[in-house]
Amino acid sequence: VMRRNPFGMDVCCRKGSRSPLQELYNPTQVSLSNTAILHQIRRDQVIDTCRANSVSSRKRRVLTPNDLKHLVVDEDHEMIYCYVPKVACTNWKRVMMVLTGRGKYSDPMEIPANEAHVSSNLKTLNQYSIPEINHRLKNYMKFLFVREPFERLVSAYRNKFTQKYNTSFHKRYGTKIVRRQRKNATQEALRKGDDVKFEEFVAYLIDPHTQREEPFNEHWQTVYSLCHPCHIHYDLIGKYETLEEDSNYILQLAGVGNYLKFPTYAKSTRTTDEMTTEFFQNISSEHQTQLYEVYKLDFLMFNYSVPSYLKME
């Protein structure tokens, strides 16, 4: 089987060469083995958290196809990536399009952001039969990227509720949040939903009625609920804080590190720890405690400590 690489030379497919999974667990290069130890520690942390919280994490034993719609499959390199919104997922989807595009794309950054989110551009695990799903879960290298949960939450809020162009979010969620959380809301606010305050957003998230009504939107859903790390054994857990190193390590394992690098660009608008601290200034300690409970498994599982700015009860 021939596959075109981005430079136009024909390179033979991975068949016969080592898979990313083999390279991860039995590295041939010393540089890869040091990083492998770090990822072993991260894997152990997830396993320990799942065990310690087995009551809450084992409620749903059997995953449904709907649970697998965030798992993007790369057949050529035998990899599965679970995407988490607000954790570099646009760039990772672009990279996956380069990897699975059979030479159609060579530079991830040439792919427009909205193209990366067109579902038909990538194949997800829920599109396979049960035996095919099980085969891939067993034999492909599975990875995801995580971020400090409250920083990710503030990033989602800023992106979805403070940008004027996100009218679909304002209509779908903003109007609901205003109606439920704001006393004496104006008719305009109820109609547009485009001025949701962070405090109102938090109140909406911790309201038991919200969770009963429908699952969280993927932009603020927990990583635990999007990627099911207690049911699916992830081989690699990348972190937003070490995005470049972790991403390029994965590309190295896939055997494409020589010609494909993870796109880096400093976004001046990026949500930082300082910014997150500011957003939480006006949240009552009671609400902070309740919000932490919602995201607690993500904090524990991915080894994020309780933020120092929280004034929890």
Side-chain angles (χ1 to χ4, degrees), residues 24 32 35-36 39 236 245-253:
L24 171 66
L32 293 180
T35 316
H39 286 279
L236 281 166
E245 302 94 293
D246 293 344
S247 298
N248 288 323
Y249 174 56
I250 290 166
L251 296 174
Q252 257 181 300
L253 292 171

Side-chain angles (χ1 to χ4, degrees), residues 75 110 228 250:
E75 294 288 351
E110 280 176 2
H228 313 283
I250 290 166

